[in-house]
Amino acid sequence: MKYIYELHKTMVSRKLMLVYEGEFTQEITKSVLSMAERNMDSIGEESGIKRKVFNVMVECLQNIVKHADEFSAVVDMRNSAIFMIGKENDDYVITSGNPIKGDKVDLLRNKLDEINSLDKEGLKALYKEIIKNGDLSDKGGAGLGFVDMARKSGQKLEYDFEPLENNVFFFSLKTTISRKALD
């Protein structure tokens, strides 16, 4: 039972407002969004910040749901993913993680590196280009969600790929949204 207290201490020390680990469905996604929104309402967060946080949360959760069906029995974790939102000083930190197939790692890394190399105007231009050229996959891809997350946060997207087994990697993504006014 001590692990519950240790988990609680970790959540408090890292100022985590919400953590969910497990299978993600549209219904669970709606519940997670609703809980996070209530939490921000309870602390009196301003609507502009809530809107940015909510937008990034939606993109993270949609990414998890879109890719959850690819892992029936490939790894022990199956459809297991994680989503967290916390506050650090004047920032909201949204972190997600989910398994992805190894053949997607280079493409995803290249997209994220391209997005992280752009300034505000470059992100705007890339967003318009993706919309215009419609390079969208059947899962909605093309990186539009990542571009939108970078635009809303005004920060670089942090990511990592942890090797699992059977050419599967655990993709972690961290987005930081400042509560201070962005230029």
Side-chain angles (χ1 to χ4, degrees):
M1 295 295 280
K2 189 168 177 67
Y3 74 92
I4 292 185
Y5 177 61
E6 293 301 320
L7 179 59
H8 175 71
K9 282 192 333 188
T10 299
M11 288 183 69
V12 169
S13 71
R14 295 197 177 255
K15 296 183 171 93
L16 296 172
M17 299 165 42
L18 177 67
V19 176
Y20 177 81
E21 188 276 332
E23 182 181 8
F24 281 76
T25 63
Q26 290 295 346
E27 294 76 30
I28 290 170
T29 297
K30 287 179 194 174
S31 295
V32 168
L33 290 168
S34 179
M35 284 187 283
E37 185 176 32
R38 278 196 302 274
N39 198 321
M40 285 190 288
D41 284 342
S42 73
I43 60 173
E45 188 56 75
E46 72 175 66
S47 62
I49 299 296
K50 277 196 314 192
R51 207 170 19 258
K52 288 179 184 178
V53 170
F54 196 78
N55 181 278
V56 171
M57 288 173 46
V58 167
E59 294 295 344
C60 284
L61 292 165
Q62 283 180 343
N63 181 55
I64 292 170
V65 171
K66 284 177 194 171
H67 299 287
D69 60 346
E70 297 178 3
F71 298 94
S72 53
V74 179
V75 276
D76 289 339
M77 298 168 59
R78 291 187 183 83
N79 295 337
S80 186
I82 189 163
F83 175 84
M84 299 181 286
I85 180 170
K87 272 180 81 174
E88 291 177 6
N89 303 319
D90 282 331
D91 299 331
Y92 280 99
V93 179
I94 299 165
T95 311
S96 62
N98 58 285
I100 64 167
K101 292 180 180 175
D103 61 354
K104 294 183 178 180
V105 170
D106 286 340
L107 178 67
L108 193 50
R109 179 180 283 122
N110 291 339
K111 277 184 189 179
L112 290 165
D113 286 345
E114 177 187 6
I115 290 166
N116 282 340
S117 74
L118 300 173
D119 62 7
K120 185 177 179 179
E121 291 306 312
L123 287 170
K124 185 177 180 179
L126 179 59
Y127 186 88
K128 287 180 179 180
E129 179 184 325
I130 293 170
I131 294 286
K132 180 181 167 190
N133 294 335
D135 225 5
L136 301 176
S137 71
D138 58 341
K139 292 191 179 243
L144 190 62
F146 294 129
V147 174
D148 199 34
M149 291 165 65
R151 290 180 69 203
K152 294 287 191 267
S153 71
Q155 310 279 332
K156 303 295 182 203
L157 303 176
E158 296 179 47
Y159 66 89
D160 190 35
F161 300 97
E162 186 69 32
L164 299 174
E165 58 189 52
N166 298 324
N167 197 31
V168 174
F169 289 76
F170 195 78
F171 169 56
S172 302
L173 180 69
K174 178 180 172 184
T175 308
T176 302
I177 300 169
S178 178
R179 293 183 67 240
K180 295 178 182 173
L182 297 175
D183 298 328

